[in-house]
Amino acid sequence: MDTKLALFGGDPVRTQLYPQHTTLIDDAEEREVIAVLRGGHLSGFSGRAGERFLGGPKVRELEDRFCDRFGVNYAVSFNSATSALHGAVMAAGIQAGDEVITSPFTMSATPSAVLMHNAIPVFADVEDRTFGLDPASVESRITPRTRAILTVNLFGHPSRLTALAAIADAHDIPLLEDNSQSPGAQCGRGLAGTFGKIGVQSLNYHKAIQTGEGGMALTDDPDVALRLQLIRNHGEAVVGDIGRHDEPSQLGWNYRLTEIQAAIGIPQLAKLDRLNQIRQRLASSLTAGLKEFDFLSPPVIEATCKHVYYLYAMRFDAKKVGIPRAAFAKALRAEGIAIAEGYTKPLYLLPMYQKRRAYGKNGFPFTLNADAAPDYSLGLCPVAERLYGREILTTDICKYPNSEREVEEFVTAVQKVIQNRDKLLSAA
Ligand SMILES: *Cc1c(COP(=O)(O)O)cnc(C)c1O
C-alpha cells in the first residue's frame, strides 16, 4: 500500500463513494405500497370528530405495531419527529412562556419544538459519557417556571433516563424524550423512548428505520394520547364535538402521515432489530480496531445498556496524539473516509437564540418572561462547547449496507495518518 497520505498526493485508502444508505427496503415494502395504491385511499384522515379522526387502516396498524414493539399503551403517528415533538410539548400541558429544560447538543428540532409552542428552551449541559443531559446541570437550571425536561437519547445510547425521571418526579413535571436517534436502545429492561411521559421517534430517511418522512409519539397516558391526536389533526374543529371544551390548548395542525408512508413503516419496524444488530456488529469491530489508538475514546456503553449506534461518536484527545482535530479529520477525509467533527454547535449559539428571533423582530416568545430572560451566552454549557469545539468525531460507517470492509478501511486510514504524523504537522 502507498504510505504517502492522500492529502499530499498519495493513493487514498478508499476510492469509491460509500454505498447509498438504505434500510433493507425490499418486496415487503413494495407489496404494502402497491396494495395501498390499488385500494386508492391514500389517506384515511379527515379533520373532524368521528371514525376518520384517527386516520386509515395502515396508520392505525403501524401505531398498533409500535405499541407492541415498545410496550406502551398508545402510539400516535406524525408526519415527522419535529411535528411529534411539537405535539409532545403541547400535550404535556406546557403554557406560553413556560420553561422547558433541554439539551443544546442535539438536532435543532428538539428545542425548536419548544419554541413552536411559545415556550422557552432553557439549555442544561451534557455529560462526557452518554453525551445526554447531565442530571446535575438540569437540577441547577430548574426555576419556578420549569414545566418539563426534554431529554435527547443521542447517537443511539440512552441518556441518564432513570436520574432524569427522578428529577422530573421530584419537581412534579413531565420528562419528555427525543428518541429519534435511539429506537431499540435500552438500559436494564427499559427501552429508550419509554421512560418519559412521552417518547418521540423519527421515521425520516436518515434514521434507523424510515418512511421517507415520519414520526411517532409514544405514551401510556390516554389523555396525553388524545391531545397528541388533536394537535395532529385540527383539534379546534374536534374538541367541541367530543366534549373536551376545557382542553387548555385547542389549536391543531395537519401533522398526519399518509397511508403509503404508514404502510412502508410496518415492514420497516419489523426490521428494526436486524438493522440495529448490523450497526452493533460493525461498531464493535470498529471499537476493536481502534483499541491501539489511545487518543480515540470509543462510545461508552453504560452497564445494562444497549447502544444502537445511529452515529459512532468518538472523543478525540489532541494532546495525546499531538495533531489538531481538524488536521486529523481532514487527512482521513482525503483518504476517502467518512468522518465529521463536532457534531453540532451548541444550539444556543445559533443566530436565532443570539438574536432572539423566532417569529419576528420583537423577540417573541423569548420576551414573555421580561424579568427572567433566558441565558444563551457563550460559556453556558462548557461540556457541550468542548465536545463541539475540540473533542467529538463522528462517523456513520456502521450503518447498512456498509460492511466489515468499510470498518477495516477506517482503521487502516487512521494507522496511515498516525504513521505520517510528522509530515502532517510540518505541512500545517
Ligand atoms: C432526526 C432528528 C429529529 C427530527 O426528525 P424529523 O423526523 O426529521 O423531524 C429530531 N431530533 C433528533 C435528535 C434527530 O436526530
Side-chain angles (χ1 to χ4, degrees):
M1 190 188 71
D2 189 346
T3 54
K4 191 172 175 186
L5 286 177
L7 201 57
F8 303 139
D11 292 333
V13 171
R14 182 179 176 88
T15 48
Q16 320 98 294
L17 294 174
Y18 285 96
Q20 196 179 353
H21 169 58
T22 91
T23 52
L24 295 170
I25 286 177
D26 60 24
D27 297 358
E29 285 80 1
E30 201 173 307
R31 276 196 303 275
E32 288 280 356
V33 169
I34 299 286
V36 173
L37 273 177
R38 290 194 176 143
H41 296 285
L42 304 193
S43 171
F45 277 107
S46 140
R48 54 190 142 82
E51 176 104 359
R52 290 164 64 96
F53 171 60
L54 294 178
K58 289 297 169 189
V59 160
R60 295 186 204 194
E61 185 180 344
L62 179 63
E63 292 174 344
D64 287 347
R65 300 276 175 96
F66 265 87
C67 287
D68 294 343
R69 176 63 180 79
F70 284 87
V72 295
N73 292 337
Y74 303 93
V76 180
S77 58
F78 282 78
N79 58 8
S80 69
T82 304
S83 53
L85 285 165
H86 180 190
V89 170
M90 187 156 160
I94 312 295
Q95 308 289 312
D98 286 349
E99 294 175 354
V100 176
I101 298 176
T102 192
S103 170
F105 202 52
T106 175
M107 200 208 151
S108 66
T110 314
S112 288
V114 176
L115 289 168
M116 287 172 194
H117 193 53
N118 302 325
I120 313 298
V122 168
F123 294 103
D125 209 350
V126 298
E127 42 95 38
D128 279 326
R129 291 172 64 84
T130 66
F131 309 125
L133 281 173
D134 177 351
S137 179
V138 169
E139 285 270 19
S140 76
R141 301 286 203 259
I142 287 183
T143 76
R145 287 199 170 90
T146 308
R147 290 289 180 275
I149 299 168
L150 171 53
T151 186
V152 182
N153 302 318
L154 199 70
F155 300 146
H157 193 285
S159 54
R160 304 226 171 271
L161 293 170
T162 309
L164 293 168
I167 296 171
D169 278 350
H171 294 272
D172 201 21
I173 55 175
L175 175 69
L176 308 175
E177 286 177 75
D178 181 346
N179 198 46
S180 299
Q181 301 188 359
S182 305
Q186 64 186 76
C187 283
R189 287 196 298 174
L191 280 169
T194 69
F195 284 69
K197 185 91 181 161
I198 307 171
V200 168
Q201 310 292 338
S202 174
L203 293 167
N204 92 17
Y205 169 78
H206 302 279
K207 299 293 157 59
I209 54 169
Q210 58 154 333
T211 57
E213 304 285 352
M216 190 69 72
L218 310 176
T219 185
D220 282 328
D221 183 323
D223 282 324
V224 167
L226 176 61
R227 287 176 177 174
L228 289 164
Q229 290 158 350
L230 289 166
I231 187 176
R232 169 177 70 180
N233 189 11
H234 306 292
E236 70 283 355
V238 178
V239 285
D241 287 337
I242 62 169
R244 303 279 292 211
H245 301 256
D246 289 332
E247 275 300 318
S249 293
Q250 305 196 353
L251 185 59
W253 276 254
N254 174 350
Y255 282 165
R256 309 176 305 207
L257 205 58
T258 69
E259 284 291 281
I260 288 182
Q261 290 170 306
I264 294 170
I266 293 163
Q268 280 284 288
L269 182 59
K271 293 168 183 167
L272 175 62
D273 292 328
R274 240 173 91 201
L275 284 161
N276 280 344
Q277 281 156 15
I278 291 168
R279 288 184 194 244
Q280 286 162 336
R281 248 197 330 270
L282 293 183
S284 55
S285 294
L286 185 54
T287 296
L290 295 176
K291 228 191 192 117
E292 62 184 290
F293 305 110
D294 66 343
F295 63 93
L296 287 175
S297 312
V300 171
I301 310 167
E302 294 292 349
T304 81
C305 296
K306 223 168 91 178
H307 202 314
V308 293
Y309 301 101
Y310 170 68
L311 286 176
Y312 186 101
M314 297 154 273
R315 283 170 65 200
F316 177 84
D317 188 333
K319 275 205 197 87
K320 267 191 188 148
V321 68
I323 306 174
R325 183 181 66 176
F328 178 77
K330 189 175 170 197
L332 277 181
R333 275 194 295 270
E335 299 297 333
I337 300 302
I339 189 137
E341 303 150 65
Y343 180 57
T344 183
K345 183 187 262 192
L347 294 172
Y348 50 85
L349 298 175
L350 296 181
M352 177 171 72
Y353 295 99
Q354 292 298 306
K355 294 184 175 295
R356 311 277 203 279
R357 275 200 194 164
Y359 295 100
K361 291 189 193 171
N362 68 1
F364 182 85
F366 301 103
T367 45
L368 282 172
N369 303 329
D371 56 325
D375 183 2
Y376 298 135
S377 49
L378 187 69
L380 179 66
C381 297
V383 177
E385 290 178 21
R386 164 168 51 79
L387 293 171
Y388 164 70
R390 303 204 294 272
E391 291 186 1
I392 286 272
L393 287 170
T394 63
T395 181
D396 62 356
I397 63 158
C398 297
K399 69 190 182 189
Y400 184 80
N402 289 345
S403 64
E404 293 289 344
R405 177 175 168 185
E406 280 72 25
V407 171
E408 282 161 25
E409 288 167 346
F410 191 103
V411 175
T412 303
V414 174
Q415 281 163 345
K416 189 174 166 188
V417 171
I418 297 313
Q419 281 157 11
N420 284 276
R421 183 176 160 276
D422 295 341
K423 285 196 195 98
L424 192 60
L425 288 174
S426 58

